[in-house]
Amino acid sequence: MNLFRNRKLLVATKHGKEKVIGPLFEESLGVSCFTSTEFDTDSLGTFSGEMPRKDDALTTLKKKCFLAMEKNHCDLVIASEGSFGAHPMAYFASADEELMMLKDTKNDLEIVVKELSMNTNLNACIITHESDLLEFAKKVHFPSHGLILKPTENNFSKVIKGIKDVTQLKKHFYEFVKEFGSVYVETDMRANFNPTRMTVIEKTALKLLQAVQSVCPECDTPGFVVSKAVPGLPCRWCNSPTNSTLSYWYSCKKCGFSKEHFYPHEKTKEDPTYCNLCNP
């Protein structure tokens, strides 16, 4: 796209996210991606908890973009912010929610997408025996995925991150047990120590790229994306409206133009299983 071609694009990360973000945007937009150590993204919060995130994910993401641009004197940036916890609908499952933003101060653009995935190895446990440690490690895909050791969940007096070697894991485990009696082991959710999360980040980057390439029919501004989902897809049996999506509204933040797109999931009727009248 002409708005971005031959421009430098900062990927604001210290955890290797540029490996999946950079190639996508360089090939499709003609930008030149780079990273920088001028701004430490961990200053806004760490997954291990010693630096708690003070704001919600979106506010933190906006701060990350702004501070990275300010420190590097650039006008085009991509950043992401992950959150982990219980899935909002499948309550007994863990979820990875990734927000990703492209900010372009030259063209006054701010485009944000979200990806919610149950594909995560998020886990933690208090352990006192080596056999339990190795069983936990196997369950969370160690050593391809890193581990973090702490005295307890909220005790940060001693924190060892990025463990990906079984010899080092055992060594540090016995040090903790000797000093504290047990160890709190948790999955390292930083992207460069968690290939599963990196896969979700790549999927989020693809979604962001699609949003950037979606332009307003009226003013050609990138970011013509879904602003509202409208329920009401009719039941195949009784034709009553269901809670399933009937249409999406696409909106332009620049000129305000909106357009409704019906049947976004390529079906005009819903299965009666999801009808409150046919299947109360």
Side-chain angles (χ1 to χ4, degrees):
M1 298 177 71
N2 291 335
L3 284 180
F4 307 110
R5 189 163 299 281
N6 297 323
R7 293 175 62 189
K8 295 186 70 176
L9 170 60
L10 170 64
V11 183
T13 181
K14 62 179 289 185
H15 300 133
K17 298 175 189 176
E18 74 281 358
K19 294 176 183 176
V20 295
I21 296 172
L24 291 173
F25 283 81
E26 288 185 340
E27 180 180 352
S28 298
L29 301 185
V31 295
S32 176
C33 291
F34 72 102
T35 58
S36 170
T37 57
E38 290 298 316
F39 170 63
D40 182 3
T41 54
D42 278 355
S43 64
L44 296 176
T46 58
F47 290 122
S48 46
E50 70 270 30
M51 180 66 72
R53 190 167 69 188
K54 297 178 181 179
D55 302 296
D56 62 83
L58 182 57
T59 301
T60 302
L61 178 59
K62 290 184 176 184
K63 282 185 177 180
K64 187 180 290 186
C65 286
F66 173 79
L67 292 171
M69 296 174 94
E70 183 180 57
K71 292 286 186 181
N72 290 279
H73 309 288
C74 64
D75 57 15
L76 186 62
V77 65
I78 283 180
S80 76
E81 184 71 14
S83 301
F84 296 88
H87 192 280
M89 298 185 70
Y91 303 115
F92 297 103
S94 297
D96 172 7
E97 182 181 84
E98 298 288 341
L99 294 178
M100 191 173 292
M101 173 188 287
L102 179 141
K103 187 173 181 63
D104 178 3
T105 54
K106 180 179 178 181
N107 294 292
D108 192 25
L109 289 175
E110 192 175 277
I111 302 171
V112 183
V113 298
K114 178 175 75 171
E115 179 68 22
L116 181 64
S117 176
M118 293 173 65
N119 184 24
T120 178
N121 72 329
L122 178 71
N123 210 332
C125 193
I126 298 175
I127 289 175
T128 55
H129 300 289
E130 181 185 309
S131 58
D132 294 333
L133 174 70
L134 297 180
E135 183 179 343
F136 175 88
K138 182 179 179 180
K139 182 167 65 174
V140 297
H141 313 306
F142 177 87
S144 64
H145 292 60
L147 293 175
I148 295 174
L149 300 184
K150 299 186 290 190
T152 63
E153 181 179 4
N154 297 310
N155 182 342
F156 309 111
S157 60
K158 183 176 183 179
V159 181
I160 300 178
K161 303 182 184 182
I163 303 171
K164 295 186 71 176
D165 175 81
V166 68
T167 302
Q168 288 298 311
L169 177 63
K170 291 179 180 180
K171 172 180 175 291
H172 293 306
F173 166 72
Y174 282 110
E175 289 173 354
F176 273 83
V177 170
K178 182 178 180 180
E179 187 173 353
F180 303 104
S182 63
V183 64
Y184 185 82
V185 56
E186 64 184 27
T187 46
D188 195 329
M189 305 313 295
R190 294 175 297 171
N192 53 333
F193 288 98
N194 199 301
T196 297
R197 183 184 174 213
M198 191 70 88
T199 300
V200 180
I201 291 171
E202 184 174 21
K203 191 174 181 180
T204 313
L206 279 167
K207 185 177 285 188
L208 178 61
L209 180 60
Q210 290 170 355
V212 172
Q213 292 176 318
S214 178
V215 298
C216 174
E218 291 291 309
C219 69
D220 287 332
T221 298
F224 190 66
V225 294
V226 175
S227 58
K228 183 172 69 171
V230 180
L233 190 66
C235 172
R236 190 173 69 242
W237 282 359
C238 71
N239 214 42
S240 297
T242 68
N243 291 326
S244 299
T245 301
L246 173 66
S247 66
Y248 282 153
W249 275 98
Y250 287 76
S251 301
C252 176
K253 292 183 178 180
K254 198 81 167 181
C255 72
F257 176 76
S258 295
K259 182 179 180 181
E260 189 173 20
H261 173 60
F262 285 90
Y263 314 119
H265 301 303
E266 298 182 352
K267 59 180 181 179
T268 58
K269 300 288 184 178
E270 183 56 285
D271 189 291
T273 302
Y274 304 101
C275 176
N276 290 332
L277 292 179
C278 297
N279 186 31

